[in-house]
Amino acid sequence: MALRGVCVVELAGLAPGPLCGMILADFGARVVRVDRPGAGGDLSHLSRGKRSLVADLRRRRGAAVVRRLCARADVLLEPFRRGVMEKLQLGPEILLKENPKLIYARLSGFGHSGRFSTVAGHDINYLALSGVLSKLGRSGENPYAPLNLLADFGGGGLMCALGIMMALFERTRSGKGQVIDASMVEGTAYLSSFLWKTQKTGLWEQPRGENLLDGGAPFYTTYRTADGEFMAVGALEPQFYELLIKGLGLKSDELPSQMSMSEWPQMKKKFADIFAKKTKAEWCQIFDGTDACVTPVLTFEEVAHHGHNKERGSFITDGEQGVSPRPAPLLSNTPAIPSKRDPFVGEHTEEILKEFGVSQEEIDQLMSDKIIESNKLKANL
């Protein structure tokens, strides 16, 4: 796989960090997740392909275990606010001195500088501070966050994974590691570059929810069908719009111009009335295979069974028969080979420490002193 031979130490966290680590693991990196003692289980649910070691970082000898791992690792991924790692004596000044080749990835909401760098937040807060949240929502309604996808996973986990890839590539030339300051606010803002670069084009001059791409246009929105399901319409270009009109049983010469914005509310009502007369399956029969840019809004229960997704193998089943997306993108020579299951917390503690040169005597003492934990027995049940 593409990242075969890359060793990653991931300090356990929620959402963005675990996704970043799972992406690296899916594509071949050896990812060691350092969990906290007493953890009842993996709350992230994003640990596929990783191995788990439990160590108490709040105790000096527990932090020393992580330092030992980082001395031989390629990447450290940490999810804490500014100052936390420094208090644990695990800051970049110390770890990069011990291992100059280490890629030290710091993934946080507000970044490691600035007045908000030490305060708590979640996806919706980072989305708000990035400016993007102000653009999301229906006309006349409050802004709303699209689940916790944009900041946590797009501007956070995925952007951090990109930073790690770039730093690993740069290291092939310089031989040196570096610190990555991955702020979810800035990552989300960067994702929205198109919105910023098109501000003067008129694309966003109407209030939120009344523009071409935010639900204002009748040909770029969703519609409820007769069976309570939904269809998504994205017929932007004139030739695609013409096919939409034809599929709806209308005639374009009897309708207002496509780009007559003053007529959009009335046109949206007309389209809604028509979509409500047929089921989702019936609309699929009409539009499938055409360039009208009309597709069904698939539920999680439906998506893996859709013909296109089945043909591409876009979704996979794990060892517990749970369905999830196949790692993307699909590489022709070195595709991802995802693991079939997530690790138990502490399942690999002893195995990992031995690989990193810790003797059995040291391991037994650390275990006795409750610095580390091992849950091998659970894995054998």
Side-chain angles (χ1 to χ4, degrees):
M1 290 189 280
L3 297 179
R4 182 165 55 92
V6 174
C7 177
V8 179
V9 175
E10 174 196 326
L11 303 190
L14 296 175
L19 175 71
C20 180
M22 191 182 78
I23 291 170
L24 301 177
D26 281 342
F27 284 90
R30 293 182 296 116
V31 179
V32 173
R33 190 186 71 213
V34 180
D35 287 298
R36 300 173 185 177
D42 172 29
L43 298 179
S44 77
H45 302 287
L46 294 169
S47 295
R48 183 174 62 207
K50 303 174 188 178
R51 293 186 297 166
S52 171
L53 173 153
V54 172
D56 190 349
L57 302 187
R58 296 168 299 179
R59 300 171 68 180
R60 180 180 55 80
R61 289 162 64 203
V65 168
V66 172
R67 282 178 65 171
R68 201 158 174 175
L69 300 182
C70 291
R72 292 171 55 179
D74 295 292
V75 179
L76 170 67
L77 174 59
E78 64 96 348
F80 303 120
R81 288 181 247 170
R82 188 182 77 183
V84 173
M85 291 292 280
E86 284 76 7
K87 288 180 181 177
L88 297 171
Q89 297 300 303
L90 294 172
E93 295 82 4
I94 293 174
L95 297 190
L96 282 169
K97 185 176 181 180
E98 296 175 351
N99 179 3
K101 293 186 177 182
L102 182 68
I103 308 299
Y104 193 116
R106 319 195 78 165
L107 176 53
S108 64
F110 298 111
H112 279 262
S113 62
R115 64 183 62 187
F116 279 15
S117 59
T118 58
V119 303
H122 285 293
D123 176 277
I124 194 169
N125 307 117
Y126 314 140
L127 193 58
L129 209 64
S130 75
V132 176
L133 185 56
S134 71
K135 297 292 186 181
L136 304 176
R138 293 293 185 184
S139 176
E141 298 180 4
N142 292 355
Y144 66 85
L147 308 179
N148 66 323
L149 290 173
L150 272 181
D152 274 356
F153 300 116
L158 193 58
M159 200 66 76
C160 187
L162 174 62
I164 290 170
M165 293 297 95
M166 291 189 287
L168 285 170
F169 179 71
E170 194 282 332
R171 194 179 69 176
T172 65
R173 294 180 294 193
S174 70
K176 297 179 181 179
Q178 59 183 301
V179 178
I180 300 168
D181 185 356
S183 154
M184 288 177 240
V185 171
E186 293 166 357
T188 306
Y190 191 33
L191 278 178
S192 73
S193 293
F194 173 75
L195 306 186
W196 293 89
K197 296 292 187 179
T198 55
Q199 283 190 98
K200 296 180 180 179
T201 66
L203 196 57
W204 313 105
E205 63 184 8
Q206 300 302 316
R208 179 178 58 250
E210 298 179 21
N211 296 282
L212 181 69
L213 298 175
D214 62 6
F219 47 86
Y220 202 85
T221 189
T222 57
Y223 292 99
R224 184 183 294 270
T225 58
D227 53 348
E229 299 292 326
F230 297 91
M231 298 295 288
V233 176
L236 288 170
E237 291 81 357
Q239 66 273 28
F240 302 154
Y241 180 72
E242 191 64 36
L243 293 173
L244 166 66
I245 296 302
K246 179 181 177 182
L248 294 176
L250 299 171
K251 295 181 179 179
S252 57
D253 57 2
E254 298 176 359
L255 299 172
S257 167
Q258 178 186 0
M259 291 300 174
S260 178
M261 297 181 72
S262 62
E263 304 288 344
W264 281 0
Q266 192 60 35
M267 288 298 297
K268 191 181 289 187
K269 185 178 184 305
K270 179 186 285 288
F271 288 2
D273 290 342
I274 295 173
F275 271 106
K277 293 177 181 177
K278 289 183 172 63
T279 65
K280 182 165 74 173
E282 289 173 327
W283 285 118
C284 286
Q285 287 183 329
I286 291 171
F287 287 113
D288 279 5
T290 75
D291 281 347
C293 301
V294 179
T295 50
V297 177
L298 299 177
T299 64
F300 272 30
E301 291 73 27
E302 295 172 318
V303 67
H305 304 291
H306 187 273
H308 178 77
N309 294 334
K310 287 176 67 176
E311 289 162 6
R312 286 185 56 83
S314 302
F315 291 82
I316 57 177
T317 303
D318 61 27
E320 298 179 352
Q321 300 305 302
V323 176
S324 60
R326 182 191 65 199
L330 185 60
L331 304 183
S332 62
N333 292 334
T334 54
I337 304 176
S339 170
K340 285 292 186 180
R341 72 171 180 88
D342 292 1
F344 294 98
V345 171
E347 178 179 349
H348 307 96
T349 298
E350 292 190 46
E351 173 186 311
I352 292 166
L353 291 178
K354 288 177 182 177
E355 287 180 12
F356 280 80
V358 182
S359 70
Q360 186 64 56
E361 183 180 0
E362 289 179 275
I363 292 172
D364 291 342
Q365 188 61 54
L366 289 167
M367 202 84 68
S368 175
D369 295 339
K370 301 189 184 302
I371 303 296
I372 62 173
E373 291 179 4
S374 177
N375 292 315
K376 288 192 298 183
L377 290 177
K378 291 184 179 180
N380 295 326
L381 293 177

